[in-house]
Amino acid sequence: MASTWSTGGACESWWPNGGYAPVGCGGVGEQLAPGSDLTPVPNGAFVGSRGTVKDCTCFNVGRDVDNLRKAIVGLGTNEQAIIEILTHRSNWQRQQICKEYKATCGRELIDDLKGDLSGDFKHVITALVLPPALFDAQELERAMRGPGTNESVLIEILATRSNQQIKEIKEAYRSEYKRELAKDIAAETSGDFRRALLILLEARRDENCQVVDERLFKSDAQALYKAGEKRLGTDEAKFIEVLCLRSPAQLLTTFDEYKAITNKTIEDSIKSEMSGDLKDLMLTMVNCSKSIPVYFAERIHKSVKGLGTDENTLSRIMVSRSEIDLLDILDEYLKLYGRSLYATIKDETSGDYKNTLLKLCGTGN
């Protein structure tokens, strides 16, 4: 559903309206023809209108497969050719490349890439050739693999995906691992944090960005007040219900009413009433109801500031948002930190990994 909110607002970013125009890739200018490789396809749940990566209008799957094979085989690998092709094709087009590569070469493209590449460069390139739902599923599985759980990854993915995206992620997880995502998350988490994640996994969140229920926001604000500030202890279940099931538009109005009642922001109440992973999740739900691009800009900044860079987080956000709202994330990053994300990536990363991320940025803003 198209949003009436301004570009970059929570609703438009959360539930992509899907409209976008194909752009050229700098190659031979071929015409879009019905039934050809170049025919536009219906936009999926993981495609929005504010991505930096679009369909390539000069897409020729056979030529791309041939050039990729030449870049991989023989002595040495032509990393630049791999970067140029994969960062200038939409994910749908990359899936056509993977199918044709298997049919032509008898091998999986992702396996050949894994065999020839290494490090962070391998991680970001293989992420690009995975279907988005499968990439998210793999990131969730990796966050729960082995001793300990990376709760921040669970929060990032489940708090920012639409109902349809979550449904597709669960299907991809089931297909890839022969297990239910909900069962694995239930086994790896506990308490109210687990309850909140499982509610998000049910994909029941209200996605109506245009209608605000006045009676509901008033009753929700009162219920949140009674669940926290008005009592000794906290009724976390009420906070979870409201923050995990209401639409962003409904929540923003509720937060205003809550402040009028308590003279405190919802963020301040959450920080004083909760702790640990549940607090982080609830604050993320609040932040995402206001602006998902701002949330991701802040998360990227945390991944690159200080000593060392969290390449996994940086790669995941750059790839997963590249066809949805990365343009808005770039804009918000510049507003927040006074320098472009392009410049930050250029300073904080290196080599082929850096070149791949810079291509996903498009041009320095």
Side-chain angles (χ1 to χ4, degrees):
M1 176 179 64
S3 170
T4 60
W5 287 27
S6 62
T7 298
C11 287
E12 183 168 347
S13 298
W14 206 309
W15 302 293
N17 60 28
Y20 69 101
V23 296
C25 64
V28 178
E30 298 171 82
Q31 298 297 312
L32 291 174
S36 72
D37 287 335
L38 308 178
T39 303
V41 297
N43 298 323
F46 291 85
V47 178
S49 61
R50 295 288 293 165
T52 57
V53 176
K54 313 284 187 180
D55 274 340
C56 171
T57 58
C58 58
F59 179 52
N60 182 305
V61 65
R63 182 177 61 200
D64 283 350
V65 167
D66 185 51
N67 288 334
L68 282 170
R69 188 59 184 155
K70 290 176 182 176
I72 294 172
V73 299
L75 294 175
T77 301
N78 188 342
E79 290 88 353
Q80 188 59 33
I82 294 172
I83 294 170
E84 285 296 324
I85 293 172
L86 296 182
T87 59
H88 289 93
R89 306 294 183 271
S90 66
N91 190 273
W92 178 83
Q93 290 173 331
R94 293 183 211 122
Q95 299 316 307
Q96 308 316 303
I97 292 171
C98 289
K99 292 177 184 177
E100 184 67 19
Y101 191 96
K102 176 67 178 296
T104 302
C105 307
R107 297 173 55 85
E108 298 289 350
L109 174 59
I110 193 168
D111 291 337
D112 282 357
L113 291 170
K114 286 179 178 178
D116 271 45
L117 310 180
S118 62
D120 297 317
F121 178 52
K122 177 176 75 172
H123 179 65
V124 72
I125 288 294
T126 54
L128 285 169
V129 300
L130 289 171
L134 179 56
F135 175 55
D136 277 350
Q138 290 188 358
E139 289 293 287
L140 289 168
E141 193 276 337
R142 184 167 66 158
M144 297 183 285
R145 188 188 309 158
T149 299
N150 189 337
E151 290 85 1
S152 69
V153 175
L154 304 185
I155 293 171
E156 175 196 310
I157 293 177
L158 296 182
T160 62
R161 298 327 190 236
S162 69
N163 290 341
Q164 183 58 37
Q165 287 171 339
I166 288 176
K167 291 174 184 176
E168 292 185 23
I169 291 166
K170 290 193 294 185
E171 285 295 326
Y173 194 95
R174 183 182 303 116
S175 176
E176 181 76 0
Y177 302 109
K178 313 305 178 197
R179 304 192 304 269
E180 295 297 326
L181 177 57
K183 289 185 178 180
D184 283 358
I185 286 180
E188 294 293 330
T189 59
S190 61
D192 292 311
F193 179 59
R194 172 171 59 193
R195 181 189 307 174
L197 291 179
L198 293 180
I199 288 177
L200 290 174
L201 268 180
E202 292 174 359
R204 295 190 293 115
R205 186 163 194 184
D206 180 8
E207 295 187 342
N208 188 336
C209 291
Q210 297 176 331
V211 177
V212 173
D213 186 325
E214 182 175 355
R215 286 189 299 177
L216 182 60
F217 83 70
K218 288 181 179 294
S219 64
D220 277 348
Q222 285 288 345
L224 291 173
Y225 171 54
K226 293 175 182 177
E229 295 294 331
K230 195 177 181 180
R231 57 175 286 174
L232 183 63
T234 305
D235 179 5
E236 289 87 354
K238 178 52 67 174
F239 278 84
I240 292 169
E241 175 193 342
V242 173
L243 295 179
C244 292
L245 294 178
R246 305 293 188 258
S247 72
Q250 188 74 33
L251 285 176
L252 292 181
T253 312
T254 302
F255 299 157
D256 288 341
E257 179 72 7
Y258 182 86
K259 187 174 182 180
I261 295 171
T262 65
N263 202 31
K264 289 183 69 173
T265 66
I266 191 70
E267 293 95 330
D268 287 340
S269 289
I270 290 172
K271 290 174 184 177
S272 64
E273 297 287 336
M274 300 180 191
S275 62
D277 298 321
L278 180 63
K279 179 186 74 174
D280 292 341
L281 175 56
M282 294 295 97
L283 289 174
T284 298
M285 300 306 297
V286 172
N287 293 336
C288 288
S289 70
K290 295 179 178 180
S291 172
I292 283 186
V294 168
Y295 164 75
F296 278 119
E298 292 174 342
R299 190 150 170 78
I300 288 174
H301 183 65
K302 290 177 183 177
S303 76
V304 297
K305 74 175 183 178
L307 294 176
T309 299
D310 180 356
E311 289 86 357
N312 287 335
T313 296
L314 180 59
S315 298
R316 182 174 57 254
I317 295 173
M318 294 295 292
V319 171
S320 66
R321 311 310 294 189
S322 62
E323 292 186 60
I324 298 175
D325 57 1
L326 188 51
L327 285 172
D328 293 329
I329 295 170
L330 294 171
D331 289 344
E332 297 299 341
Y333 192 94
L334 182 61
K335 293 177 189 176
L336 287 168
Y337 305 110
R339 71 185 313 228
S340 70
L341 178 55
Y342 188 97
T344 299
I345 289 172
K346 198 170 182 180
D347 288 345
E348 297 294 334
T349 60
S350 61
D352 296 314
Y353 177 62
K354 174 184 72 176
N355 293 335
T356 304
L357 296 184
L358 293 180
K359 291 290 185 181
L360 292 177
C361 280
T363 58
N365 58 331

